Amino acid sequence: MKIDKPTQQWELAFNGDWATSVAFVGNNKIVAGNRTGDIYVWQIPDEVPKDEDEGEKDEKKKDGFPNVFPVRKLVGHTNGITQLLVTPDGKTVVSASLDRTIRLWNIDAETTGESEVVLDTRNREVNARGKRAEDKEKILNAPGCKVQEVASTATLEGHKDWIKALNISHDGKRLISGDDSCFTIVWDIASLKQVSSWHGYDRIWVSSAALSPDGQTAFVAEYAGRRSSFDCPAPQVRLWDATEGKLKNDLLKIWTPKVKDKDRVDSYGYFQTCGKILKRGLICAAYSNDGKMIAAGQGGETDTGMIHLIDAESGEIVRSVAGHKTGACDVKFSADSKFVLSSGRDTTVRICNVEDGKEVANLGAGRGGQFKDWIHAISISPDQKRIAGADIAGMIHVWTLGSQS
Amino acid sequence: MWNICPRHEHLSRRALLKGSLFTAGGASISNWGSLFQSDLAAAEVSKKKKHCILIWLNGGCSQFETFDMKIGRPTGGLYRDISTNLPGTRVCELMPNIAQRMDKLTVIRSMRTSQIDHPGGIYLMHTGYPRAANVRFPEMGAIIAKYCGEQDTDLPNFIKISSQGNAGAGFLGPKYHPFNLDRDGRLPTFSTSNLDEKIEMRRHGLRDFVESQFAEKHPADPARMHREAYQRARRLNNVQEKFKVDAEWEKSRERYGDTKFGRRLMMARCMVEAGVSFVEVGQSGYDTHADNFTGHKALLPTMDRAWSGLLDDLEERGILDDTLVVWMGEIGRTPRINNRSGRDHYVRSWSTALAGGGVKGGLVYGESDKDGVDVKDNPVTEGDFFATIYSALGLDPEAENFSGVRPIPLAPFGHNVVKDILA
């Protein structure tokens, strides 16, 4: 990945409920989902439109960055989308949802219908400001964009609660998913069958999961939300044998060596101790392409959400980077494993050097009052030149990492 | 007159005459609202042996994530509704056990109260009154302890287990002040003497002697309160066994869910069975300005299991009809979901629930509008709610106690008892 004066190129309008997830399909297609369960596909032009005359420029200023409309809609989920990812061959999109299913999609498949959607309500409102009544009416009630509907090619069922964790091995052979009943499943993508599965404790959730590049080791973090009198099991961060579903390493034991096993319970003291490392749970995780490092981000509403870089072999935290004000949301490694990219509740995407932990770029800017809008998810294009971020305010930002792009 | 009559002993002529009508044998008139009209009424009600368990959802549970879902609306949130055993009524998927016990519940979907912050709301929904500079209103628990409790008992009549509310007995005085158990429902450590009984008794005798001497010269309430507090603490020693419920918990763990909150509710049942008139059990963490959905997901399943277990347990033991179970927090939560994935405070339209003694089961009272922004039908104010609770327990909501010379009805002036709810 080469980072040279990153700039924003596009701002795709995705008004409605929160944009929660985003993924590149190839270098010019973006798929994004929201909290209602809608998933759309955008085709991004190679060239960003240039400002040719003053009038057009003014319009663009009002809109922010240029927008294009989606071309396809992936229809099937009945509740919010939590994760979206694409297989390394770029052929299959995988989505996880609060409707307790995982769906697989071929976004180029034959369409099943067509619908008209309005996703740019906010842009219309901005453009209508100060206009005469009839012009305003025209802008606000303009036809929406036509999208071709696509049905999923397969549905993976096996979870009985919200699926919030989903990840894929870099070899593209296995998926891992985790739900709020603390049930983790490793899937074989070719056969769509379960390779292994295991239950954690009751009343605690799988908050993040990742697979090693070869799909043999699973990183799984478990955490529950608010508690009354610590009335839930203690958090867990563990490495598992993904084929056998057997425990390989308990990372919290490595990170808190002074705590005796008998004290690793739902007590105030233990929550205080591991809370310093986990804050409100590790809610995002990724393996580096070379398999040497795991990144896991402190989520929930916390003071500063750091990204821990964990040595995959020893389990030790090598360093903690980024630091998103009030919590991290998503984390990814660059393909060369040199950079870790994270998004957070401060409307920013931070890019840090894995080697020394230094922040090399900070995309976006805080928006909102005391509490900022979140960049809920990020994705890196296969050519490593673009980053997309799903903004809860109802837009997908697309940045280019190099001015030469 | 003002110089020789301390404020705490002062009675108005009207109050004195009214009280005297009920005074027999020249019994001394004490303050703390124990005018005899009130005491007689209390004695009459206490014969009925009614109890109340308050499940207190501290911070303000969301109506949208419990009993008043708005599926498909912008205010609806992430959860889906499920059917219940009450035809046509659906509740949140986080409460599958309560869904199957809706025939026992009266849900009020049209609460409209006046205090939107926590301290004000907690005070309001414990006393029925907003905070006032010149009156210390008693909590509902203290009133029920006074009117429904046995007056000569070793057990406290008002017990709190890990709950909030600091109004206490207010002007009803220390006799009705809540006794707090720890969050596991165990007696606090200070309640057990570690002295040999003989030494303890000798100390008690000495303290009693000194306090009697002091009281002769200082007939003030603080001295009396101090003596009463000691007396109550000593009497508690006689019933220590009632608080040892480890064996009972082993039998009940499955029913209530293996949680601390479940154990607290089982403890409440044990206390009611032992004769305690009011027990309040708290569950904290509902103030979900951020991460409302995960917050409720962490709390509600525990509550659902324990609450439904309590209702079953009370019913099987034949005491549900004499025990009113109240489910509420101090506020509701906003229809709008903020940019922290949270819901803020809201009191214009929210939900509470009642079950058991004195109320109908299988009823949903009131309605909010399509987005849950406002009450559409049958608004219920805090005054109406408290008046209805007192009525369900056989109390007259207009019965008066006195704060100094000021008569204070049990429920605020202007209330309306929601008769449609009463059995």
Side-chain angles (χ1 to χ4, degrees), chain A residues 346-347 365-369 371-375 391 393 395 397, chain B residues 339:
Chain A
D346 51 3
T347 341
R367 180 192 337 102
F371 296 96
K372 311 298 179 196
D373 291 342
W374 311 0
I375 302 287
D391 186 328
M395 57 196 96
H397 305 286
Chain B
N339 74 341

Side-chain angles (χ1 to χ4, degrees), chain A residues 196-234:
Chain A
S196 61
S197 64
W198 58 91
H199 268 289
Y201 297 99
D202 281 344
R203 292 177 290 118
I204 189 171
W205 316 322
V206 176
S207 54
S208 59
L211 283 172
S212 59
D214 59 5
Q216 295 302 315
T217 303
F219 168 93
V220 179
E222 297 160 10
Y223 199 83
R226 279 163 194 266
R227 297 162 300 278
S228 177
S229 310
F230 310 97
D231 208 355
C232 70

